[in-house]
Amino acid sequence: MNKSAREAPNPFRSARPYLLLLPAFLCLAAFTYWPMLQVLLASLSDKKRVGDSGAFVGAENYFRIFQDAHFLGALANNALYAAGTVIPSVLFGFLFALALRETTNLSAILRSILFFPTLVPLVGAAAIFIFVFMPDIGLLDYYLAKLGISATNWLGNPDLALVSLMALTTWKNAGYYMLFFLAGLQGVPQDAEEAAKIEGANWLQRLYFVIIPMLGPTFAFVLVIALISAVSQIDHVIVMTDGGPNNSTNLLLYYIYQQAHEFYDLGKATAATVVTLIALLTLSFLSMRTVERKVHYET
């Protein structure tokens, strides 16, 4: 065999990386990109149900949703719900991780207890909290009555129903986020903390100037998944409030569900879906850029 024959390029070898990526690309195309394209096309039509042909109407559905008081109300509710769940659940997850950072028999048990709500399906957690929030005979009112506080209709009061859903979400998610912070704390170099301690930094100073900056990527990741959770879960809304009372717990995903499956207006539902995805991607991008730029340091 001459030298030129030995050095001839092997077409299969050059194509191998693309062939290895092909199954993943096909899955993404079939289950992500194609459905996204279908949603975008449906938002530009007057489809009523899945399978309808629908005529092209352009941006009419987008004008319709922004003229719909229920959509604007769901948007405002979801913004309040996100603020009332993301901030406390991430904060509690971080504080739990700090408190249980050291591995002991007691901390292992407490970690399991705090993580347990994550294992409960959201529908099951909602059913449990219905009994917790039940007026007069519910667990919460039972203990509040011992403090002399009268019974409250937590899920029937428009001013309290959304707050009640926030409490459920925080209870369920804080333990989940704790795991990420525990993993992040394992990557904080002990010599950096020891150096700060030798320099005279107290615990709060070490926390603010050493630990939190080192957890920048962890905070960014947890904030993003918390935002996604705040927009993508409606099981508890359906079980506990059905969007009421007076639309006070009508969140964006529940609004989309109603438009598609109760009012049979698929064009409007898909337009709201596109707007929701754009808002979620924008917030996620801003969270990643802001947190990582401000507090991430190389170790």
Side-chain angles (χ1 to χ4, degrees):
M1 182 180 294
N2 57 38
K3 183 177 181 181
S4 61
R6 290 197 306 269
E7 294 179 353
N10 187 339
F12 177 77
R13 179 176 298 176
S14 60
R16 173 183 279 182
Y18 303 99
L19 293 174
L20 293 174
L21 290 173
L22 184 60
F25 175 78
L26 291 176
C27 289
L28 282 173
F31 300 107
T32 301
Y33 301 138
W34 177 246
M36 288 175 63
L37 178 62
Q38 291 292 96
V39 168
L40 181 60
L41 293 176
S43 71
L44 302 175
S45 71
D46 61 353
K47 283 187 176 184
K48 301 302 179 185
R49 294 179 176 86
V50 177
D52 291 350
S53 56
F56 180 79
V57 295
E60 180 181 334
N61 289 321
Y62 294 92
F63 290 113
R64 289 172 62 205
I65 62 172
F66 282 107
Q67 293 171 353
D68 186 352
H70 293 294
F71 173 77
L72 298 178
L75 188 62
N77 288 339
N78 224 137
L80 289 173
Y81 176 78
T85 56
V86 171
I87 295 174
S89 58
V90 172
L91 179 60
F92 279 123
F94 176 58
L95 294 177
F96 291 155
L98 281 178
L100 303 176
R101 183 180 182 183
E102 300 298 330
T103 302
T104 63
N105 291 334
L106 179 60
S107 67
I109 295 173
L110 292 176
R111 288 178 190 178
S112 300
I113 293 173
L114 292 173
F115 181 71
F116 176 75
T118 304
L119 303 177
V120 180
L122 188 56
V123 172
I128 293 171
F129 270 73
I130 286 177
F131 292 99
V132 172
F133 291 128
M134 192 172 292
D136 291 317
I137 60 175
L139 189 64
L140 182 58
D141 275 355
Y142 173 80
Y143 286 104
L144 289 178
K146 294 182 178 295
L147 300 175
I149 301 175
S150 58
T152 303
N153 189 0
W154 298 96
L155 299 178
N157 187 332
D159 297 326
L160 297 175
L162 189 61
V163 177
S164 302
L165 295 185
M166 294 177 188
L168 163 60
T169 304
T170 302
W171 172 81
K172 192 173 189 313
N173 290 343
Y176 179 55
Y177 303 149
M178 174 192 69
L179 294 184
F180 295 105
F181 287 116
L182 283 171
L185 287 170
Q186 300 303 313
V188 176
Q190 292 294 323
D191 55 352
E193 292 189 63
E194 291 297 330
K197 190 174 182 180
I198 292 172
E199 291 294 329
N202 59 35
W203 183 83
L204 287 176
Q205 290 172 327
R206 295 197 302 273
L207 175 66
Y208 185 78
F209 291 106
V210 178
I211 296 176
I212 292 179
M214 293 294 181
L215 290 178
T218 304
F219 272 105
F221 176 76
V222 172
L223 283 173
V224 169
I225 62 173
L227 284 171
I228 293 173
S229 175
V231 175
S232 62
Q233 294 183 334
I234 60 164
D235 307 48
H236 54 324
V237 177
I238 296 174
V239 173
M240 297 176 71
T241 63
D242 206 25
N246 196 25
N247 285 318
S248 61
T249 60
N250 189 8
L251 304 181
L252 283 171
L253 196 58
Y254 187 71
Y255 172 87
I256 294 169
Y257 163 79
Q258 284 184 312
Q259 297 301 319
H261 300 289
E262 293 182 6
F263 305 143
Y264 299 107
D265 193 341
L266 192 64
K268 199 173 180 180
T270 51
T273 302
V274 172
V275 171
T276 302
L277 287 175
I278 292 174
L280 184 59
L281 288 174
T282 302
L283 289 173
S284 299
F285 176 77
L286 291 176
S287 298
M288 292 287 291
R289 289 295 298 264
T290 301
V291 176
E292 287 195 326
R293 183 175 64 249
K294 288 187 176 181
V295 300
H296 175 50
Y297 295 90
E298 294 293 339
T299 59

